[in-house]
Amino acid sequence: LTSPQLRAHPLGDSAVTITFGTERTAKLLRQIHAAAHSLHAAKLPHIEDVVPAYLALTVFYDARHTSYAEIAKKVLEVCDQPARFAHDARETREHLIPVHYAGMDLEAVAVATGLSVGEVVERHTRRAYTVDLLGFVPGFAYLSELDTSLQLPRRAEPRPRVPAGSVAIAAAQTAVYPLDTPGGWHIIGRTQTVMFDPAREPPALLRAGDTVRFRRVT
Amino acid sequence: VITITRAPPYLTVQDSGRRHSRASGVPPGGAIDLFALRAANALAGNHIDAAGLEWALGGGSITFEQDAVFSLGGARAHAILSGKAAAPWTTIYARSGDELTIEQISGGRFLYLAVSGGIDVPLILGSRSTYLPGRFGGYLGRMLKRGDSLPVGAQTGQPPPSGFHSAADLLPRYETGIVHITRGTHADLFSESAWRTLTESEYVVSAASDRTGYKLEGAALSNPAGSLPSEASCPGSIQIPGDGFPIALMADAPTVGGYPKIAVVAEADLPILAQRSPGDAIRFELITIEQSQRALKRRTSDLHTISQLASRSSR
């Protein structure tokens, strides 16, 4: 291997986790997203899913037809030299999500950050965010990185039900709730964009590595 | 068509689950004791991945609105088909109008009913499984209620003859409380004494356990890492949250999580864990990934044997 920091570890009988490093950086995340893209392009047999995350990606496979040792070797090869397996560069997908900024926590966020409501909205819409990973519930994408002046800890009391379409912030991230779920993030707005639709393939609008911008609508 | 005439507290449509949507954050779901559903399918003359009913927490009744062949598997239950006892892991022929009553579940947790032709609800993301947290899949994305009528698919082949049953030695040893595990992705973060605690003490499935995960009570393990950057989990992952009490993730668990994963349950033993009710005890035994994958291959070949014997007996 040319990247000695790559480590493979079994995650049970049907998955292998490849760890790329120990520190969360934008560069490491790009490396992981590139490797995920190459794993799709390489079309290794018996692979079911590739799930990228902050420090690692996990490949799920059908253990009826292969073994951990065999899959780990092949997956490591691709992760080590992703450019050899993906002939095309990863397409950059950009999403523009219209948001009506009138969330129930918008005023409280303005107070807590010492900004005006207008400034909160301006700083939230100014940036292009990267989809770090999906999880928590289907279609929930963690987007980075929020303007430092907007970074607040999660709410002390999570709400039992946050409506689908709520645009929220917490710590260094922002997200859109794809389903009605419990949630502890600060809700600053709402979008009509459907983030998750099980009748769609793939069902989630966003994919790890995509770029997202928010636009204010009234 | 089959109709729910008296609904148990928990009843859903499940099959082998969704295996290609984890990158969108969709858990695999499917039967929590997948072996039991698959074996019941084989005994009803179905493909092992057909959809059946997953039943728990109490009794209820369904009515066959057409002649049907069915099989029960998984939890032990007191089952009666129009006055006669219905044996588990057995091919049973029902007449149109027959009522199947489960009086109670007497051991284990999830009972499966496979009907020849399979429950014919729409495929969503490649599966007919109900995913309750997302309100999709199965029958209208929800639990089944009294009066619900479910379409049954066309029989694909000749089912086994009435009374055909699986040999007990082809089934998981549900009665043992031994669950084999392999080292998890964060196994090295835990001290030797934490490992001794995990593998030498007894854990009890807590009341806080459902298709998402089984919380375990017993000796707490000190979690040296707190919370880590999220990464993928899988059903069977044993994660250690801040309070030190292990949680075994199950079929509907989120696809990613930030608690350290000390171990992962061997897939061959996942049915044994899944069938543990609150209050039941288990013990963990550490094995290597090679041993674990060999055990899974044996389990798969036992299922294959049941399918083969079933289809041979129908000729």
Side-chain angles (χ1 to χ4, degrees), chain B residues 233-288:
Chain B
S233 307
C234 65
S237 296
I238 299 177
Q239 59 178 29
I240 309 297
D243 66 8
F245 295 106
I247 298 172
L249 300 181
M250 301 305 270
D252 283 344
T255 50
V256 300
Y259 292 127
K261 293 181 274 288
I262 188 170
V264 183
V265 173
E267 260 176 70
D269 288 353
L270 214 41
I272 295 171
L273 177 61
Q275 292 293 358
R276 287 303 197 258
S277 295
D280 287 347
I282 50 168
R283 276 179 182 279
F284 293 117
E285 272 181 20
L286 182 67
I287 55 174
T288 66

Side-chain angles (χ1 to χ4, degrees), chain A residues 20 29 35 37 51 58 67 69 75 90 93 118 125 138-139 150-151 153 155 174 189 193 197 200:
Chain A
F20 285 67
L29 207 54
H37 174 61
V51 181
T58 300
S67 68
V75 169
R90 185 189 167 88
R93 300 202 316 178
T125 50
L150 296 179
Q151 298 186 8
R155 287 166 48 82
T174 182
T193 303
D197 177 1
R200 210 160 55 185

Side-chain angles (χ1 to χ4, degrees), chain A residues 9-15 17 19 24 47-56 58 60-61 63-69 133-140 142 179-181 196-204 206, chain B residues 18-27 38 48-49 124-126 131 133-136 182-188 229-235 237 254-256 261 264-268 289-290 292-293 296-297 300:
Chain A
H9 197 286
L11 175 68
D13 295 323
S14 301
T17 293
T19 305
R24 238 172 101 165
I47 288 196
E48 294 179 344
D49 268 331
V50 178
V51 181
Y54 296 112
L55 305 178
T58 300
F60 289 82
Y61 60 94
R64 288 177 295 188
H65 303 296
T66 181
S67 68
Y68 169 71
L133 83 162
L134 280 91
F136 169 53
V137 293
F140 191 98
Y142 292 82
L179 304 170
D180 292 356
T181 57
F196 180 81
D197 177 1
R200 210 160 55 185
E201 189 69 66
L206 305 180
Chain B
R18 305 187 164 80
R19 317 203 67 88
H20 301 280
S21 302
R22 295 173 183 96
S24 282
V26 181
R38 284 177 157 168
I48 57 168
D49 293 327
I124 306 265
L125 301 173
Y131 177 58
R135 296 184 206 94
F136 66 82
T182 55
R183 290 172 70 81
T185 39
H186 307 113
D188 292 344
S230 287
E231 64 177 46
S233 307
C234 65
S237 296
T255 50
V256 300
K261 293 181 274 288
V264 183
V265 173
E267 260 176 70
I289 186 67
E290 291 78 16
S292 187
Q293 291 195 320
L296 179 61
K297 285 224 159 76
T300 307

Side-chain angles (χ1 to χ4, degrees), chain B residues 8 54-60 70-81 84-90 92 100-113 174 275:
Chain B
E54 185 176 87
W55 185 309
L57 300 172
F70 74 91
S71 175
L72 296 168
R76 285 192 305 281
H78 204 251
I80 290 167
L81 178 72
K84 279 192 289 190
W89 310 109
T90 301
I92 301 174
L100 173 69
T101 296
I102 306 299
E103 296 200 319
Q104 59 177 21
I105 290 177
S106 54
R109 190 162 182 180
F110 292 95
L111 174 73
Y112 293 89
L113 168 66
Y174 287 112
Q275 292 293 358

